[in-house]
Structure formats: C-alpha cells, structure tokens
Amino acid sequence: MKSEGEFVNQPDNTAFTQQRLPAWQPMLSAGIVIPLFTLIGLAFIGIGVALFITSQNIKVQELDYTGTATSSPCFQCSGLSIQNCTCERNFSLSELFEGPVFFYYGLSNYYQNYRQYGVSKDDYQLSGDTTYFLKPQSYCSPYQYSNNKPIVPCGSIANSMFNDTFRLYLLVNGSRKQVPFDGKGIAWWTDYNIKYRNPSPVNGSFAAAFDGTTKPVNWQKSAYELDPTDQANNGFLNQDFLVWMRRAALPNFRKLYGRITGGDYSQGLPAGNYTLQISYNYPVLSFGGTKKVVFSNVSWMGGKNQFLGIAYLVIGSLCVVMAIVMLIVYAKYKFPDNDDA
Amino acid sequence: MTWTSWCCWTKWRDSSESERKLVSNLPYEGLKPKNQPNRRYAGNAIKTTKYSFWSFIPMNLYEQFHRWANLYFVGIAVLNFVPAVNAFQPQVALIPICIILSLTAIKDAWEDFRRYQSDRQLNGMTCLIYSRSQRSFVERRWKDVRVGDFVRVLSNEIIPADILLLHTSDPNGVCHMETANLDGETNLKQRKVVPGFSSTNSSFEPLNFSSIVVCEKPNDDLNHFNGFLEEDRRKTGFGIENLLLRGCTVRNTADASGIVVYAGHETKSMLNNNRLRYKRSKLEKKMNTEVLFCVLLLICMCLIVAVGHAIWLQTFSSVPIYFVPNSDGTFTSAVLSGVFMFLTMIILLQVMIPISLYLSIELVKMGQVFFITQDADLYDEEKDTRVQCRALNITEDLGQIQYIFSDKTGTLTENKMVFRRCTIMGTEFPHEENAMRLAFLAGEMDTDEEVIYQQNRRPPLFSLEEAQDGPEGANAHLPGHSSLHGSRVTAGAPSSRAFSSPLETEVIPDHTLVQLMEEEEAKPYLDFFLAMAICNTVVVSTETARRQRANERRNSSISWSPLECLEVLFGRGTCFQRLSMSLTRNRGSLSEPIHMDPTDSPVYDVPTFSGSVQGPDEGVNSPSNCRATTGRVQAGSSSVAPEEVCYEAQSPDEAALVHAAKAYGFTLLERTPDHVTVRLPSGKVLEFKVLDVLSFDSIRRRMSIIVRHPRSKEIIMYTKGADSGIMERLQNTFEDRRRVKSQSRDVAIKTQTDLDMYAKDGLRTLCFAKKVVSEQAYMAWQVKRQEAMSAISKKEELLMDTADDMENNLTLLGATGIEDRLQENVPETIQALREAGIQVWVLTGDKLETAVNIAYSCKLLDQRDLVFTFNMENKGACKTMLNGILQELLRNGSLESEASIGLVIDGRSLSMLLDDDLQMQFVQLCTRCRSVLCCRATPLQKSRVVTLLRRRLKVMTLAIGDGANDVNMIQAADVGVGISGQEGMQAVMASDFAISRFKHLKKLLLVHGHWCYTRLANMIIYFFYKNAYVNLLFWYQFFCGFSGTAMIDYWFMIFFNLIFTSSPPIMFGIMDREVSAYMLLQLPELYKRGQHAGGYRRSTFWIAILDAFYQSLVCFFVPYWTYAGSDIDIFTLGIPMNTVSLFTIILHLAIEIKSWTVVHWVIMVGSVIVYFVVSLVFSALCVSCNPPSDPYWLVQEQVADPMFYLVCILTTVVALLPRYTLHALRGTLVPSDHLKARQKDQLPPHHRDRWLREYRSLKELCASFPSMSSSTVPQDTTQSPSTPTAPLSSSTRVQN
C-alpha cells in the first residue's frame, strides 16, 4: 500500500472514484423487448378481461329529474320561484337489482372544483373550534357574515349544499312501500371522526353552541337541526354535509346519498315498479346543469367502469401486436452481434 | 525634524498621484495613528471574506437577488400574496424561494467561513519587526506589519509583505526566494540588496535609515517594480530584483531584512490573487434559449387558460350557485378574471421554467469535476499532480472541442533539454556516442506502444533486461531505478525542474572534440565552453538548502499497491509488466530504502559505451562530477561532499548547456551577482568578475554577460541567442562581403549550414558569440546603462536600447543543438484526437525547420500530406499563393479527400494572413487543411489565430500550452488547458484545466469530455422533460372552469420537485456512463457526436417536450376516464395522477440510463420508496394544515384501493410505451455508433479486442483508398449539424 504522505495527491484507486463500478448495461433492442412486450400484453389482456367482466356485472340505473323537458314530471319544479316543490319519477326493474345497492344523486356542469369555491370554507370552524364561530376566516368571504352575524358553517361550499331529498317507494299491489335509505357511514371515516368536529354542547344544549351565529344564506335549517330524526347526525357531522364538503373532482359527479341495505332489501331491489319522490329544492338551471339519481351496486373495483377494462384490453393487444412486429424486425435485421459470425 | 517631515508629508500627498512615497516608521513609533506618515497605506491584515458576521444575511440576500432566477421566484411568491391572483396559500408559496435561498446561503456561508479561517491563520502568523524602543527585532503578528516597518525574515520563513531588501546575511547581498506559493515556479529566484545601500558586512541598523522610498503604486505585475531611494538628493534606483514578495519563502539565506513597501491587499501577490474563472459553457448558452422556449410555452399555456376562463365565465347566462361573489356581492368581469387567471396560472405552472435546473447543473458539475480530478490515469507520479479543474463550469465543453491549438515546446515536447551536438568555429561535432546512448534510452521508452498504461513501462523492461547481465548488469539497472527514484524523491521538491534523471543530463563528450582540445589548447574551444558555462542565469545552489526541501518527501517506496496491480490483472492485458515492475521496484526499494549511495554508483552510462568515455578528460568521470550530477538525487543522504553543486536554471536549455560544458570540464562552480566561478578542465579555478548582465528578452532574442577576465583583465562580453538574434549582429555581416575576413565568413556560413541541419533534425539551436570590449567603450556605455537603470518611466525600453548598443560586432564562436524530446505518446495522442475529428494546430515560437521536423515526428504532418508553406516576405506574394491554393482546391473539389493538406506558416506570413483583407480566405483555406503549423508565432499572434477561428468558424477551441507565452492563447480559447511543466505556472494559472502531460489530453477529452457532455446534455434534456409534468395541472384546467385549481396538494408538488425527483437526474448527470472509457479511447470517432452538438439538439429538446406533453396527457386522462362520473373528490383524483407521473418520470429516466450501478439502483428505487413513505406520513399528519387542500388520509385511502394500482400500472405503461418502443426499434434498426460500441464492449474481452483490431485494420484500409471510404471526416467544419458519417456503420457494412 502507499505510504503516508508520499503521493499526497494520488487519487484513490477505487471502483467508485475511477468510475468502474460494476454496472448492468441494458440495451434496448428488438430481441430483448419481445418477451417483455409479450408478457405485458398477455398480463394486460388478462387483467382487462377480468375488469371488463366485473364491470359488466355491475348494474347501474340512472334517472334524470332535472325537469327541463316539459314532459318531465319535475318540470314545474324546475322553475326558480316554487318553494317546497315535490315531484315523482316512476321506474321499474325487470329483475332483481342485487345489493348492496348504492343510491347517489348526480349533478352535471357543477364546478365544485372551481378554485374560489374550493377555498371558501373555514377548516378551523369545521373542526369545532368555537373561536372561529364568531370570527370566521376571511376565506369564507362573502359568506362570512350575514346581517353582521357570523355564518356557521361559513363559506360558499357549505352555503351551496345540495338539499334535495329523496324517498323511494316500491309499488306492492298498488300500495306504496317505502324503501329505506341508510344514510349512515356514507362519509369518509376520517372526515366523520377526525377532521370535522362538532362544538361541545353548551349547558347540555347542542344548539346553544351555535348561539350568536347564523345559518348559511341558502340554508333553510340551521346546522344543528339538519336531521331532526337523529340528534347525532347534526351539525358538522351530518353525513350529507360531510359528503358535500368533500368536493367533487370533476364537473359531472355523483355523491352518495344512502345505501339500500336494510330489512327486505338486503339482497337488493326486487323486480317491480318503483316511485322516487323528490323534494325538489336545488336549482340547477342557472348553470345549465342536470340532476339525476343513480342506483348502482359495487364490486371490488368500485362502481361501473368500462374504461379501465377496455383500456387494458387495448393496450394488452397493442403490446402483443408490438411483440409480433418486433419479432419481424428481429428476424429481418437480426441482432447486430451476429455480424461477426 | 518632525515638523519638516510633516511638511514634506503634506507635499507628498499632493504629488503622490503616480508614485508611492514612504519613510521609515521608526521615528514615529508610539505616535497616534493620525501622526503616522504611512498611515494612508493599507495595513498587512488581509480580509478575503465577503461578509462579516452581521452583514451576512442582508448582503447575501442582496447578492442572491441579483440573479434573475431568484427574482423569478420572488416575483412568483409576491404574486401569490395578491388575493385576486393567488393560487396557493401565500405563506406556502414562499417555501421554494426560501429553500433555494437558504441552501445557497449555507453554501456561501461555509465558503466564507473557510476564507475567514485562512485569513485569521495568515494574519496571526508571526514575523520579526524592528522596534525602536527595544532596539531589536521583536516578534509580531502579520497583521501588525505596516508600510514603513522594518521586517526581518529568516531562512525558510514566508515573507509577510512586499519588502524592499536592504540587508541579507549573505556577504554578497543576495537572498534567494522561492515563489512556489505565488506562481508555482519552484526554482529559486535571486534577490539583491538595494545597490549601494548596505553592501558592507556590518550589521544592519534600521534606525539609521533615513531615506525616502519612492516607488510605483501597487500593481499586480510580478515581474516589474521600479523606484528609487532618495537620501540627500542622491537617488538610488531599485527594481524587482530588490523586492521580496509576500507569500514567497526565503531560501538559502540565513536572514534578510528590509522595509515594507506594500502590505496586505496591496502586495503584488494579493493583487494577483484572482478568483476562479467563470466561463459559461456552450451548452449552457444553448440551454438558455431552451429556457426561453419554456417561458414562451408557459405564457402560451397561461394564455390558453386565461382566455378559456374568460370564455367559460361568459357561457353562463345567470350566476351559478358555485360562483363566489366578491365581498360586495358583485362579480369580477370576465376579461379581468381572465387577466387574473393568467397570473394565477403563472404561479401554478411556475415549475415549467426549470429554475432549479441551474442549481442542479452546478451540483452535477461539481460531481463531474470530482470524478475528473479523481482519475488515476490523469495523475502524474513524477510530479505528484492530478488534473486540476480550475474552471468548474465548463466540463462539458471538453466534449465538444473541434480545434486544438497546441504549443510545441513543453507541451508536445518534454521541455527537458538534452545537449545533442555542437559546432565550434565551423567544425561540427556530432556527439555520436551521446546520441547512441540517448537513442538507447529512448528505445527503452518507445517500445510497446499498444500498452495503454504507458507511464510505467520503462522501468520493467529496463530492469528485466539488465538483470540478465549478471552482477554488473544487476548494478547497471540501478540508473533506471535511480532515475525513477530520483524523480520521485524530487517530485514536488522543486530542484529537478529541468531534468528528471541524471541519465538525461549526462553528456558523453565527443571523441574528436576532446582530442582536438587535448591537442591544441585552442582558444576558440576554450571561449566556446566558457561562454556555455557562464553566459546564463543558472544559479548554483548549495546542498543545505536542498536538503531542507527534499527531506519532506524522501520516503519513496513502491507506488503501485498490490490491489491496483490485481485490478490491472483482471482488467487489462498489461498486468504482467506492471506486476513484474512493481516486484522489481519493490526489490529495489527494499534493498535501497531511499536510493543508491552515490559512492557506489556506477558510471551513468550504459556499459557498452563506457569504454569510450574513459578518455583523458578527467572532468567527466571524476567522482566529484558524478556526485555533482546526482547531488540532487541523494539530497538528504548524510554523505554530502562539500563541492557538490546543483544547478537551478530558469530555463531547461540553460541547464542543459551548463551540464554539457561540465562534461567537457568547464564546471560552473558559483554564481553571485558579482562574479562567476568556473573550474577549467585543467583543474584551475577562474573567477570572473561580472560587470553586467543583459538579460534575455524575446525581442532581442539573446542575452549577454559582460565579465572581466581574471588573467588578461580584458573586458569580454559573451552572448548567447537564437541564430537570428546573433547572426545579424556579427562583426561581419553577410551583406557586407567585401570587408569580410574570409575565415570568419566561412565560419559563419558553415555554422549556418550546421544550424540548418540541426533545425532539420528538430534540434533547438543557440549561437554563441564573443566580443572583447575596450575599457573606454565600456566606461562610456556604463554611464548610459546606469542612467537607464535608475529611470522610472520607459526603463524597459532604455535598458533594451543600451543592450542593443553593446551587442554588436560579435565574433561567432559556435552553436549548439539541443534536443527537446517529444513527450511520451504524443503521436498517438495527436492521431487519436484527429480520429476524433479534432483539428490539431501547432503554434510555436520555434524556427520553421525545427517545427516542421517535430510536426512530422509527432505525426501532425504525414509524408503523404500535401504541405503548403507560407514563408513570404511581402503581402502580395502571400495573397497570390493563398488565392492560388484556394482556386486549385475549388477547381479540384475532391482533392481534399484524396490527399490531406498541411499548412506551414511562418510568423511573418501569419501576421499578413491575419490582416483583415486576407482573413476570410485564410480561414477558408484552414478549414480544408488537415493540419496547420505556425512557427515563429508571438504570443499575441497565437491568441489572434485562436480568436479568429473561434469567431469566424464558430467552433469550439481548446488551447494547450505550458509557458507564459501561451497565456494569451489559453485565455482566448473556449477551453484553456495548461500543462504544469518546466516553465513555471503562468499557463496553469490562466487555464481552465491543468494537466501534467500532453497525453492526458486524450483521456481528458475523449473520455471525460465525452462523458461530461453526454451526461450533462442528457440531464438537461431530462430536466426539461421532468418539469413539463406540471402539464397535468394544465389539463385539469379544462375540467375546472379554467379556474387555476390544482388537484395535487401544494406540499406534494414541493416534495415532488425537491425530494422525490431531484436526486435521480443529478445522479444521472454525474454517473451515467454511455460507453466505457476503454471503448471511448479505442474508438475516438465516438467523440464526433459532441462536436456537432449531437447530444443536445433543438430537436432533442422538442422531442422531450412533446414526450412530456404526451405523457402528461396520459397521466391525466387515464385516471380521468377511470374516475369520470364517479364520486371521487379533487385531491383523491390527484393522488393517482401524482403517483403515475412519478412512476413515469422515474421509469423514463430508467430507459435513458445507460448503465446501472449500485448507486443508480439505490437512488432510483430509493426515490420511489421515499415517495410512498413521505406521502403516507404527510397525509397521516396533516389534518388541516394547508386549508384549501386537505391531504388527510388520502394516500392511505388510495393505497388500500386495488383500482389505484391498476390505474398506476396502465398509465405508466401507456405513457412510456412510445419511447420504449422507439428506443428498442432504433437500437435494432439504426443503432447509433455509441450503441454499437456498447454492444461490443459487452463482448468478452478477447472478442472485443479482436473486433477492435479488425475494425482498425479496416479503417486503415479505407484510409489508404479514400475513394471507397465513407469514413473520412468531412474537413469542412462549417457544415450543417448533420450527423457525421458513421465509421462504425461503414465497417459493419463492409463486413457484411
């Protein structure tokens, strides 16, 4: 070994400093990619078929109830002026709609992802911090104060909360039998348990916690009385509110309203005629949107989605085709190494 | 006294515009600072730091904000504070700029702290200052030294300030100093006490110093200093030879004292201390236009969104419920919203402009520089130097060189001068024995050219052969050893500048000449050798000084570690040689821990010739002589004979001459400013009194020494110089034939023919002449000379004029031919560089014949070449010839491909060709020439040539040289390479890269240049591509009403650039290896791609950007269609998009990476792992920390969903499929040369080498039949950047 101080400047002769680290040098050429393409192609086709079949098995029933067409039963409700309008839509299922059935409401052309809209909320308020009840953050502006009273929950998102309600009836022998929606557990677990918190009751009264505040402008009821049937489903922990607050990514979206799981319907919706009673409150004509409801059952891959299966099939096939092309190329040009032979 | 001097002082202040006046501080000792006369001059404390503790933050920020890149960041951040525009929470948007600023600040602070530390160390060093109160020199710190102080410097101490030398312990009033710290020159420089000042031996008493020192204002010229001492109206001039420079070390002199004239930052060394050079590389310049394209692209995208937003707003007839009115309930108009949106989008898409690219490039270049300097192949054992990268930011320019301008002496040649022949009084003495000996040595060196690691092949062969010669031979191998050890021992130790081994310095006297000298004690011979011995500036240094220095590194042992040897064993074929060599060396070093003892040292000649040496001349083989030559080698050994001498020459040829004179018995024993002592062959010692020395300059091209002969008391001038400098000054010039004495004319003519012959042999010639000066003439001249000496203005001119006055009517004594050997592997290097498509030009100051000869021997010119020589007297002829050649070339268009054209240009013709009217044609001609050789070129011409070609042809130029005369050229070229050679360090100081041998250029360019270029080009392209991933956000705008919403959390975006995707490209830029070093060296053709900027074209950039657009489309739309119509929320949609872009970006790089080492795997896999870990942790911790977005538990949700993985896999595959397929197809259908080289490289070594051999022979075949060759490089460098014709493909074609 070199002695100390002799060649002070001599570089270390290591594989690293001399850039001689053992290296794997893949070289892309037709010969190498053929097996890869084949493998990917076959795997994708497999996945694609599985996805496609799964997706095919998912049933979806959509009903538009915007009421723009005069023939539509909700036509008279779609006008702006009418309050507390109710309309009904009938539909029939020819066979069992296997459960669990998810019931969604859907909006189109609704930009929940509009930037100014998305900012317009106060997270501290929503996490139950009462100091922000009386003094909401400026993000909420202009839905910060109403008549000099702070709005709780403030902001545009809360203010624009969807407020149509639905009842589903199964027509059994000419009489209506309500199909119950299970509205519990439709929000994210983390939203319900961690992110959003109700203020602690004041003097045992939940409503008193909201003293000195006012409800959002567009709301008919205060936050603490959203669900009269279930005291726990009120305030910021109201499931529909939570679902609404989780802003949709795209302008055409649906949001979960409830599941049909209870009682006789645990197997799903039996074949028959149904009536959907809609309490029509939410105006959509202002932005040229539509409203619909969706019945759907789900699988491991979520809701019905043809795209992914088809895409996998297409790409898989493309890879196989590519492999064949490569094979031809390979056969024609050979691997350049063979030149030496 | 005080009052008067105060008066004087005020008067000085008015008149001291161009001069500095100072007086001794001693009378004022203890006075308040304002009463100090020299108080206006800077003190000796130095401060090189930029910042102080308190000013760091404001000043650093101020500096940083001067960069436009940082301003961009700040602009974006400020924009984000405007409520109407902001895209993110304002505070969060400050993060990127804060990170960039603080990183840079930390780097700056660290650098500044190191400077501070070194300053403190320097300022705290101690020195001796005279104190009046104590009447002696007392110890003080450097920073306390003031102008006007008296300082004493002891031997081997560093000089604290610029000191005017007033006294030394040397009886002759000289002091030696080593300027290695200053300019790297390691020879000793002699300094003298100011003339007439205290030449007596009496001790120096500063209190008696009452003169006024008048000198120039501080300047940075290390070689000039003028001034005078004024006392009682008597002026004594002094110059640079009286100035001790700060930072130098006193040697050989027990102590030296003087008055400080410049201190601290005003010293010459500090004024010379300029920072690292900053050059902008070609690639970076080009890249900047691409950055502009990115800006344009960004603006386009923002415009699209802005217009889209305005239109979108107008599609609504009434106000939708999700519109948020202003606080007053109104809505901003569509147009204004559009304008705001434009700004918002700039914030959102800011990453599109890759600002962090600049930081990354700096990091990458640091890494590249690290690897270049670490290269063991570029390490020179002899000098213990690595390659130095002095300019840190043009590494990739090394990969694009098109023209190399090389100096000859010291660059192509060793600049280790060997005396070869001489001609005395018209008789030529060929020194054949000496030639044979040298040839023998050279033969040892030049065998086995195929070996790649040539540095060490001389010793093994030598020792192996010699070892077979029995006991005598065993002894005889020692010279080889001693040469190695000798050079090793002195490596770094400055002594052996001129010669690396005694073998080379030794001269065997010519048989006939010795006999002639014996027979007739002829005067001309005596004069000739006397001139050789004394007409120089060689300093004879004593052993004591040398010992001190050599001690530092005398422990020499084996240089090759066993490990290295093993590596070689497995790696390359030459292992046996190196193994055996290391063994022999090992043995040698065991038996002789340091080196051989001088007393048993054999004759330094190869045994076969020793017989002829045992001639009558005792001077040659006398033990003392032997010892004298080895004296340098055995420095440090205890048995030092008193008469041992070492020569310290400022130029190697002087040393060669002195050694040659010694071989004939004329030994230079001592040189002081006043006298020169020479021992004659008879053993008599002559002491010449030196009356004057007319030092060498490049205009006169000669130097003279005027001495008084001790016996005859005659005043004799010996002159030495270039033939042109001497011949015109001879007593009887050729023009003046009638009055010429026939004998001296014959001598001159014969000498001239001999000189021509020497030049043809590539020898450097020097003529010697003599003149006897009459007493009166000398006295008259002396007066003029004195005047010139004390002049301040125009001193140089005056001195030169007086020298010219003296140097005439010379009598020619003879001439010498000195060989300057080619450095090892110069021809191979030049050939390889040329194969790499680089045009090699040689610009030299040498004579035409010498230069042409060297050009042939280093394969710059080939015998088959068509060589045009421009050696014209007038411009007309020049023009005619130029046009003639050009026309011929134009007419015969194919001529250039059939015979390669060489151009030889004389200095005078060169200046005519460089004139404006001929420039264009000249350049035109140059582009068609295979090689160009310019002789007799001045430094200025050299740089003009470089500048001309650089400007006119827009080519990348590299200039390489070793001497001060190459500095201009080195600075003019795009890349300046300095060779740390025999001629000091000026070239290195001016250079961007410093290497120690010419052959290192090959690896530096072909391997490191290529790598750096390819790596950086790929890295930059990749960086542009990577940053275009923000297009995801752009596509999203089409689905959120062009409202500037980001579906990816802002923190994720920051992390994305800062953590997840930052290290892979940097690693890629530092470590990727397209083709192995071995193949790059074997196939220089691979270099050509860089020359035509093949690695980084505009098309490459656009392809990368298009690919980025395509990939971002895929990364957006696959998740989009998957989740369309579902209940997915914004940020949940963002997570898969973010993830797939990460996968895509990482895998895209994986496709581009050419060789995967452990580091690659760790960083690539690590980046993905870090992504998931950081994302999971972040989204688990951040409940509502970044209000508009809420990443809480998003990633966890997604990771638990099988759909997420299905989307990721599909998207990544779709995104990368085109690029992957394209690469695969290209690899098969049209593989690039580089790809083929990689394929060959993966073959087993013997297959690979066979292929290389076949390829090379095929290439030669092609070259000999140019018509069938498709591989000749088009000589026209102005060509379009079309792909250079691929020699590799041509070869395979022929093979098929």
Side-chain angles (χ1 to χ4, degrees), chain A residues 80-102:
Chain A
L80 284 170
S81 51
I82 300 137
Q83 294 281 318
N84 295 328
C85 177
T86 309
C87 60
E88 288 181 355
R89 273 217 60 172
N90 300 319
F91 64 99
S92 61
L93 296 172
S94 56
E95 52 181 349
L96 174 74
F97 201 113
E98 284 117 26
V101 179
F102 284 61

Side-chain angles (χ1 to χ4, degrees), chain B residues 747-767:
Chain B
V747 169
I749 290 170
K750 273 188 192 157
T751 309
Q752 189 61 54
T753 26
D754 288 337
L755 283 175
D756 292 346
M757 192 248 300
Y758 289 173
K760 280 204 191 82
D761 283 353
L763 301 182
R764 290 162 74 95
T765 54
L766 277 176
C767 291

Side-chain angles (χ1 to χ4, degrees), chain B residues 957-992:
Chain B
T957 53
L958 179 146
I960 178 168
D962 73 323
N965 57 341
D966 306 315
V967 169
N968 289 346
M969 165 171 95
I970 286 174
Q971 281 171 340
D974 296 285
V975 180
V977 178
I979 290 196
S980 44
Q982 316 293 337
E983 290 188 22
M985 300 292 278
Q986 281 112 315
V988 170
M989 293 292 179
S991 66
D992 304 312

Side-chain angles (χ1 to χ4, degrees), chain B residues 187-206:
Chain B
N187 55 343
L188 294 187
K189 298 220 168 69
Q190 204 176 47
R191 292 297 197 242
K192 297 178 216 159
V193 167
V194 174
F197 193 71
S198 75
S199 52
T200 52
N201 282 339
S202 65
S203 64
F204 173 60
E205 190 47 70

Side-chain angles (χ1 to χ4, degrees), chain B residues 1192-1203:
Chain B
Y1192 188 66
W1193 220 250
L1194 285 179
V1195 183
Q1196 279 80 350
E1197 288 278 338
Q1198 279 291 4
V1199 168
D1201 184 0
M1203 285 293 274

